[in-house]
Amino acid sequence: MLVTSKSADPAFNFLAHKLRLMLIRWQIQNGRLLVDEPEAVVWWLDREIAEMEAEQ
């Protein structure tokens, strides 16, 4: 599991959050994390990651 600390560096916080979303997405797609509606969750995660990249 990804462990992050509270950092004053916004770039670190941004990347840590993005990596956490990407890890969750990978876990769902590979059957390591079970959710009720995997397609909907992956769609939402993809959207969140894309929005984060657009803001950067």
Side-chain angles (χ1 to χ4, degrees), residues 15-51:
L15 289 175
H17 184 65
K18 180 179 171 184
L19 287 173
R20 182 70 181 139
L21 293 178
M22 292 172 74
L23 175 63
I24 293 169
R25 183 183 187 279
W26 180 88
Q27 289 174 327
I28 292 169
Q29 289 184 317
N30 289 287
R32 298 187 181 271
L33 180 64
L34 300 177
V35 295
D36 287 337
E37 297 181 34
E39 296 85 11
V41 175
V42 168
W43 175 83
W44 180 83
L45 288 167
D46 285 342
R47 189 184 71 190
E48 287 293 312
I49 293 167
E51 286 177 5

